[in-house]
């Protein structure tokens, strides 16, 4: 069969499995075709590999008509196959275009898309929207301002840090304050574990004189901003307990202290500002945010806001998927079942999950959810 791919130009996203738009040289109609990725290790009808190399692909146009004229509308026969001798298969109608994520790949037998009638512009907009859905969360750090504070013994400079998520408008930007000694403590802790990884990260040096001049404060603001950005760029560092605690622990410690003191409104105010940042920093390990979400549940419940408490509990249960042995799992289910009963929701399924968990892992009476949360961030 004569190859019909030579005069064509392939454009569009380069990710395997995405829809390709082929422009025929000298022909005005556009033909939309899926490019199916090769299957490693799969066998063809003759016993050989379907795709002997990673460069082999299957082209399946569905808006072409006659096999005599491959450029005429309506022809659905494949232009080329991964392996010579493999019989072409007609593509059957299938579901809408899949939504690929950063770690997903399309199967080699994915079928025709109902979005094949999209124009080029519509396809580009469609995939642009899909990419935004799974785009990796990245954070930007800004030192918005600095002010001089008078301490009991000496004065110091307090820097205001603004943490913003990139890629879209971030309505939950975090604002926190740290002094130079806090940055210095972070550097010392990181050097104990990640000395080789951060050997090229320059930490702003401390000066004996002139630390409070406007010029020095402005210079240090830029240096600290760059320092945080460089640390965040190192994967093992941004996922470390030291880095996450630097950005969240002071606020969370204050919030849990207010919870222990019965100051639920003040505790909630701090948690509402801090938990979104904690969720962004711990997306690789959602379980880390469970104590904070459970603290929000306890505060809302004791403030007689059961609907808000139930919503916080649902977020915590999502973080505990496949972690039924976690110490918060059973107390959280018990609290959620009681809230569901109070709200007129389905409490039976929650109670059933709790009973199944107790059967699988029988244990004496454990702590209640509130008794667990008040023990967090004691030191």
């Amino acid at each position: 069969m004569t190859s019909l791919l030579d005069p064509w130009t392939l454009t569009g996203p380069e990710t395997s499995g995405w829809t390709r738009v082929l422009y025929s040289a000298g022909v005005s109609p556009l033909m939309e075709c899926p490019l199916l990725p090769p299957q490693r290790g799969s066998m063809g009808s003759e016993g050989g590999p379907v795709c002997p190399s990673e460069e082999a692909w299957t082209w399946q146009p569905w808006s072409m008509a006659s096999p005599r004229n491959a450029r005429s509308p309506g022809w659905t026969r494949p232009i080329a196959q991964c392996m010579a001798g493999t019989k072409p298969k007609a593509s059957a109608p299938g579901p809408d275009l899949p939504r690929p994520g950063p770690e997903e790949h399309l199967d080699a037998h994915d079928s025709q898309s109902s979005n094949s009638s999209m124009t080029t512009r519509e396809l580009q907009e469609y995939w642009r929207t899909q990419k935004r859905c799974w785009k990796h969360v990245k954070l930007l750090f800004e030192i918005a301002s600095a002010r001089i504070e008078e301490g009991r013994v000496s004065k110091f400079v307090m820097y205001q840090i603004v943490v913003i998520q990139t890629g879209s408008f971030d309505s939950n930007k975090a604002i926190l304050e740290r002094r130079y000694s806090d940055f210095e403590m972070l550097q010392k802790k990181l050097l104990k574990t990640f000395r080789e990884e951060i050997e090229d990260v320059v930490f702003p040096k401390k000066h004996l004189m002139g630390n409070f001049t406007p010029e020095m404060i402005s210079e240090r603001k830029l240096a600290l901003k760059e320092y945080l950005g460089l640390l965040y760029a190192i994967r093992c560092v941004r996922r470390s307990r030291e880095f996450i605690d630097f950005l969240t622990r002071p606020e969370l410690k204050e919030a849990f202290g207010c919870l222990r003191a019965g100051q639920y409104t003040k505790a909630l105010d701090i948690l509402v500002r801090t938990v979104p940042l904690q969720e962004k920093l711990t997306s690789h390990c959602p379980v880390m945010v469970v104590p904070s979400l459970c603290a929000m549940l306890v505060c809302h419940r004791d403030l007689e806001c059961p609907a808000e408490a139930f919503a916080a509990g649902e977020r915590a249960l999502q973080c505990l998927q496949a972690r039924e042995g976690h110490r918060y799992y059973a107390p959280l289910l018990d609290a959620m079942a009681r809230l569901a009963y109070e709200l007129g929701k389905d409490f039976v399924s929650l109670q059933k999950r709790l009973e199944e968990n107790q059967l699988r892992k029988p244990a004496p009476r454990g702590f209640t959810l509130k008794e667990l949360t008040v023990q967090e961030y004691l030191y």
Side-chain angles (χ1 to χ4, degrees), residues 13 50 53 66 69 80 87 123-124 127 130 138-139 148 168 174 202 208-209 228 230-231 260 264 269 279 282 333 376:
V50 174
S53 70
S66 172
N69 184 1
K87 295 181 181 180
L123 279 170
Q124 291 174 347
W127 286 118
Q130 297 309 313
K138 292 185 179 180
L139 302 180
I148 299 175
S168 60
V202 179
L208 296 177
M209 302 292 293
L228 289 176
L230 291 173
L231 291 180
R260 284 187 288 271
Y264 303 120
D269 180 61
E279 289 176 323
T282 60
L333 278 178
E376 300 286 345

Side-chain angles (χ1 to χ4, degrees), residues 70-106:
R71 296 178 182 177
S72 59
W75 187 54
T76 58
R77 186 176 180 180
I79 295 177
Q81 293 292 334
C82 288
M83 186 190 74
T86 304
K87 295 181 181 180
K89 297 181 180 180
S91 57
D96 291 340
L97 280 171
R99 301 181 178 184
E103 297 179 357
E104 297 176 355
H105 300 281
L106 296 181

Side-chain angles (χ1 to χ4, degrees), residues 17-308:
W18 284 21
T19 298
R20 266 50 174 187
V21 181
L22 298 179
Y23 293 89
S24 176
V27 180
S28 57
L30 294 176
M31 292 167 285
E32 300 161 2
C33 310
L35 179 58
L36 302 183
Q39 275 190 317
R40 297 183 178 178
S42 58
M43 305 299 289
S45 58
E46 303 297 330
V50 174
C51 295
S53 70
E54 295 185 359
E55 300 299 327
W57 300 91
T58 301
W59 296 91
Q60 291 188 347
W62 54 76
S63 38
M64 309 173 69
S66 172
R68 298 180 180 177
N69 184 1
R71 296 178 182 177
S72 59
W75 187 54
T76 58
R77 186 176 180 180
I79 295 177
Q81 293 292 334
C82 288
M83 186 190 74
T86 304
K87 295 181 181 180
K89 297 181 180 180
S91 57
D96 291 340
L97 280 171
R99 301 181 178 184
E103 297 179 357
E104 297 176 355
H105 300 281
L106 296 181
D107 187 81
H109 299 287
D110 280 352
S111 54
Q112 172 185 340
S113 167
S114 61
N115 289 340
S116 60
S117 60
M118 283 184 173
T119 65
T120 305
R121 185 174 183 179
E122 289 173 336
L123 279 170
Q124 291 174 347
E125 182 61 32
Y126 175 84
W127 286 118
R128 190 178 296 113
T129 303
Q130 297 309 313
K131 285 192 292 182
R132 280 198 295 264
C133 294
W134 53 260
K135 187 175 181 179
H136 172 64
V137 173
K138 292 185 179 180
L139 302 180
L140 292 178
F141 299 88
E142 294 286 342
I143 307 296
S145 62
R147 69 177 190 274
I148 299 175
E149 291 281 339
E150 291 286 348
R152 294 181 179 178
V153 179
S154 61
K155 60 182 181 180
F156 56 89
V157 180
M158 185 69 75
Y159 298 92
Q160 185 185 74
I161 308 170
V162 179
V163 188
I164 306 173
Q165 179 179 332
T166 63
S168 60
F169 176 74
D170 189 4
S171 58
N172 288 322
K173 63 181 179 182
I175 301 176
L176 50 139
E177 291 186 331
R178 299 291 184 269
R179 51 190 294 183
Y180 178 83
S181 59
D182 296 324
F183 285 92
E184 194 174 28
M185 184 62 67
L186 170 64
Q187 177 70 2
K188 291 179 180 178
K189 290 180 179 179
L190 291 176
L191 283 174
K192 293 180 180 179
T193 311
F194 307 105
R195 179 172 293 274
E196 293 183 359
E197 288 81 359
I198 67 172
E199 61 181 0
D200 295 329
V201 178
V202 179
F203 181 75
K205 295 182 179 180
K206 190 172 186 179
H207 298 276
L208 296 177
M209 302 292 293
N211 288 304
F212 304 104
T213 63
E215 294 79 9
M216 179 58 68
I217 293 176
S218 179
E219 179 183 338
R220 185 164 285 177
K221 283 171 55 180
L222 295 175
L224 291 175
K225 170 189 172 181
E226 183 179 0
Y227 172 72
L228 289 176
L230 291 173
L231 291 180
Y232 184 79
I234 305 172
R235 181 178 180 180
C236 61
V237 173
R238 71 169 174 262
R239 292 186 172 188
S240 67
R241 171 68 70 177
E242 293 84 356
F243 187 74
I244 296 172
D245 280 352
F246 169 77
L247 294 170
T248 59
R249 186 175 180 84
E251 286 74 17
L252 290 175
K253 188 174 182 180
E254 182 183 1
F256 279 85
C258 294
L259 172 61
R260 284 187 288 271
Q263 301 174 3
Y264 303 120
T265 302
K266 185 177 180 180
L268 263 179
D269 180 61
I270 301 172
L271 289 169
V272 167
R273 290 185 284 107
T274 309
V275 168
L277 174 60
Q278 190 182 21
E279 289 176 323
K280 295 170 185 175
L281 292 168
T282 60
S283 57
H284 62 285
C285 185
V287 176
M288 296 175 68
V289 79
V290 168
S292 301
L293 291 172
C294 290
M296 293 179 68
L297 183 155
V298 171
C299 290
H300 281 302
R301 184 185 62 187
D302 287 3
L303 290 172
E304 299 183 358
C305 300
E308 290 80 359

